[in-house]
Amino acid sequence: MNQSPAEDTFASESILVCVSYGPSSERLIRRGAKLAQAFQAPLTILTVGVQDEDTYHEERDRNMALWTSLAQQLQAEFLISKRPSRDAAEVIIETARERKITQIVLGQSVRTKWEELTEDSIMNEILRSIELVDIHVVSVKRQVEQHEDDYEPGTKAYLVRDGDSYVLQFETSAADAIEGTFYQSVYTDFNNGIFKTIRGQEVIKYHIFDGAVTT
């Protein structure tokens, strides 16, 4: 069956989202997902050099869990470049060529290897190296570490056992539910954030992604 010109256009599109540590990574992925949905195009998520950032273990694990979860939900390919010594633009260009990427989503003002990507020289390097590519630069909040104002005011909530894990609920009749406070990230419209509860004299913290506890 012959395809229409519109179908040919959609079929030729491919979206690449470049992410790094920080709460704004979800915003970039969601933006890329909207583009992928609009163009009926495959979506690829790329991060560079996660093994090198030894001082950010907690943030690394939190973001890796989020990216993996989102990639599964969005049926996207998740790539990790373990070559931190290479120039980030070079990694993007190589990935874009291999996967015939036509649209790239980048974050502006991110304190990592992506930081210089919004400079004209880097942008031009990518544009010169890849034919017929569009670059979407998304404005995000500059951040070095998590601050309290990255979360909405706390809401009473519960963690309810669901198989081998726990899910977040705001009302429950479960006798073994864990009562606590949920702080939703200001960077998402979904149930992503931190759940805190008190056990004895100890404050226990759980990371929540898409309404479920993640380790």
Side-chain angles (χ1 to χ4, degrees), residues 106-164:
L106 300 172
Q108 184 181 29
S109 300
V110 179
R111 295 286 302 220
T112 61
K113 289 179 178 295
W114 306 113
E115 187 169 17
E116 300 302 323
L117 285 176
T118 52
E119 296 294 332
D120 288 341
S121 59
I122 299 297
M123 297 290 286
N124 288 336
E125 180 181 350
I126 296 174
L127 291 170
R128 284 195 303 267
S129 301
I130 310 172
E131 295 183 355
L132 303 177
V133 66
D134 294 327
I135 298 181
H136 305 263
V137 180
V138 180
S139 178
V140 297
K141 179 180 178 180
R142 181 178 294 271
Q143 175 173 325
V144 179
E145 57 181 320
Q146 289 281 16
H147 297 288
E148 290 301 321
D149 60 3
D150 289 328
Y151 299 96
E152 301 286 354
T155 301
K156 184 178 180 179
Y158 304 87
L159 293 183
V160 179
R161 181 172 292 279
D162 181 21
D164 294 331

